[in-house]
Amino acid sequence: MKKLDLWAIKARLRLAKMADYLQNNDGIGTVEMILILVVLIGLVLIFKEKLTSLVEDIFKTISSKSKSV
């Protein structure tokens, strides 16, 4: 085979791979999104008290620092 023929074959393979990727790239599905939300909600429920106290401390610090400015 000629060098030009090999280059053409490789170029066609690259184009075929790119076309296949673009056609089969579905992204995040509904099931995956629901699972992520369930995990996040579970973490919030487990650490609710600690998150609440942390946010309150942050807002107290912000308000005290803003008064000094």
Side-chain angles (χ1 to χ4, degrees):
M1 288 185 130
K2 295 180 184 177
K3 201 172 196 177
L4 186 59
D5 292 337
L6 288 175
W7 181 84
I9 292 171
K10 287 181 182 179
R12 286 183 191 158
L13 285 174
R14 278 190 228 121
L15 285 174
K17 285 182 183 179
M18 192 181 313
D20 185 49
Y21 174 76
L22 291 174
Q23 289 175 354
N24 293 330
N25 192 5
D26 294 335
I28 295 178
T30 304
V31 175
E32 289 89 354
M33 191 60 97
I34 290 172
L35 288 173
I36 291 170
L37 288 172
V38 166
V39 169
L40 288 175
I41 291 170
L43 288 173
V44 168
L45 291 175
I46 291 171
F47 297 107
K48 182 180 178 182
E49 292 178 18
K50 290 188 179 193
L51 288 171
T52 304
S53 67
L54 177 68
V55 171
E56 287 175 355
D57 290 342
I58 289 172
F59 281 124
K60 285 178 186 176
T61 305
I62 289 172
S63 74
S64 69
K65 297 278 183 176
S66 67
K67 290 178 184 176
S68 66
V69 173

